[in-house]
Amino acid sequence: MATAKINEFEKEAIYLADIAKALSHPARIQILKILTEMDVCMCGDIVELLPLAQSTVSQHLKELQRVGLIKGDIDGPKVCYCVNPDNLNKAKKEFEIIFNLYTCKGAKSCRTKKK
Amino acid sequence: MATAKINEFEKEAIYLADIAKALSHPARIQILKILTEMDVCMCGDIVELLPLAQSTVSQHLKELQRVGLIKGDIDGPKVCYCVNPDNLNKAKKEFEIIFNLYTCKGAKSCRTKKK
DNA sequence: ATCGTTCATCGTAAATATACGATAGATAAG
DNA sequence: CTTATCTATCGTATATTTACGATGAACGAT
């Protein structure tokens, strides 16, 4: 079976993996950058900056929204997207735990671990 | 086509997305923690700590190796896996760029961006 | 009421990812 | 040499992801 056994893992690992999944496509990384670095928020503007069709960009925006990294503000027929600072910060802190694991534990290496 | 248009994005975004992809499964997050927090390095030991078959764990280890987050040291019939500190640190720094985007730019919000 | 703009969703096709059992390779131990 | 141990790989089944065009829904403007 290819049914991912997602629920049999640790809660924190599931959360981190889910955020990582949202970041696992270059289009979504670039969308995050666009939303913060440029004065742009509309789906149509983002489409012009990426080599993707409008429907595809919409899907990517949906995925970023799913994990809460961005939010959309309906403004008439338009939707203004922006980063959700609280959730971005939460994700940042959780990722730091992973990335700091090694440095915190000191220089364990393959060699020293051998049998 | 579902051929990911991976190469039409920015180099840095491609790199970040690739690392994120390697972290996008809870098993791989837990493997990283196991390799750093516990005195464990062998595939078989990891299998016992996860709800997955040996062949599946081997696949996950391969994916983490592919992006360089871990490395495997062949030791007879065994393989001793460990975190690659240099690459983990590089990934950490690249992710910080993304996660710090918002805070560096100040409190832009959907509201202020409207039209 | 109609038209244009903006975006989400549907349907669909192809690629990738996840998972397992079975098997093969490499080496240490006997 | 044979056996046991450890791991990678193969084959396979299913689920998910990526991508597009077409369509529909929501709203402002005319």
Side-chain angles (χ1 to χ4, degrees):
Chain A
M1 316 150 235
T3 328
K5 297 177 141 190
I6 292 276
N7 291 326
E8 300 179 37
F9 296 95
E10 289 173 12
K11 201 177 158 191
E12 193 196 359
I14 294 169
Y15 168 79
L16 272 170
D18 204 35
I19 299 290
K21 186 155 73 79
L23 298 174
S24 71
H25 194 290
R28 294 196 287 269
I29 297 281
Q30 281 187 227
I31 287 172
L32 278 183
K33 291 188 88 170
I34 289 168
L35 289 182
T36 50
E37 291 187 332
M38 304 177 69
D39 210 26
V40 155
C41 71
M42 276 165 40
C43 178
D45 297 332
I46 298 169
V47 170
E48 286 175 21
L49 297 169
L50 296 178
L52 296 171
Q54 181 266 324
S55 58
T56 307
V57 171
S58 189
Q59 277 186 337
H60 284 306
L61 287 166
K62 194 181 177 186
E63 173 68 7
L64 286 171
Q65 241 180 332
R66 182 185 66 79
V67 297
L69 288 179
I70 67 173
K71 54 186 174 181
D73 232 31
I74 295 172
D75 177 22
K78 309 174 189 175
V79 176
C80 182
Y81 286 99
C82 67
V83 170
N84 183 330
D86 293 340
N87 290 345
L88 192 70
N89 220 266
K90 185 187 171 196
K92 177 187 173 186
K93 283 174 184 162
E94 297 280 352
F95 268 97
E96 276 171 0
I97 295 172
I98 290 295
F99 285 129
N100 285 335
L101 272 180
Y102 194 87
T103 45
C104 288
K105 298 296 286 185
K108 275 202 298 190
S109 80
C110 281
R111 293 267 156 242
T112 65
K113 269 191 181 177
K114 257 194 191 172
K115 174 80 121 316
Chain B
M1 317 150 235
T3 327
K5 299 176 140 191
I6 292 275
N7 292 325
E8 298 179 38
F9 295 94
E10 289 173 12
K11 200 176 158 193
E12 192 195 1
I14 294 169
Y15 167 78
L16 272 170
D18 204 34
I19 299 288
K21 188 154 72 78
L23 298 175
S24 71
H25 194 291
R28 294 194 288 268
I29 297 282
Q30 284 186 224
I31 287 171
L32 279 183
K33 291 187 87 171
I34 289 168
L35 289 181
T36 49
E37 290 186 332
M38 303 176 68
D39 209 24
V40 155
C41 74
M42 277 165 39
C43 177
D45 298 331
I46 297 169
V47 170
E48 287 175 22
L49 297 168
L50 296 178
L52 296 171
Q54 181 267 326
S55 58
T56 307
V57 171
S58 188
Q59 276 186 339
H60 285 306
L61 287 166
K62 193 181 178 185
E63 172 68 7
L64 286 170
Q65 239 181 334
R66 183 185 64 81
V67 297
L69 288 180
I70 67 173
K71 55 186 172 182
D73 231 31
I74 297 173
D75 177 21
K78 311 171 187 177
V79 176
C80 182
Y81 286 100
C82 66
V83 170
N84 183 328
D86 292 341
N87 290 344
L88 191 71
N89 219 268
K90 183 186 173 196
K92 177 187 173 185
K93 282 173 185 162
E94 296 280 351
F95 268 98
E96 275 170 2
I97 294 171
I98 289 295
F99 285 129
N100 286 335
L101 272 180
Y102 193 87
T103 46
C104 289
K105 299 294 286 186
K108 275 201 297 190
S109 79
C110 282
R111 295 268 155 240
T112 65
K113 271 190 179 177
K114 256 193 191 171
K115 172 83 118 321

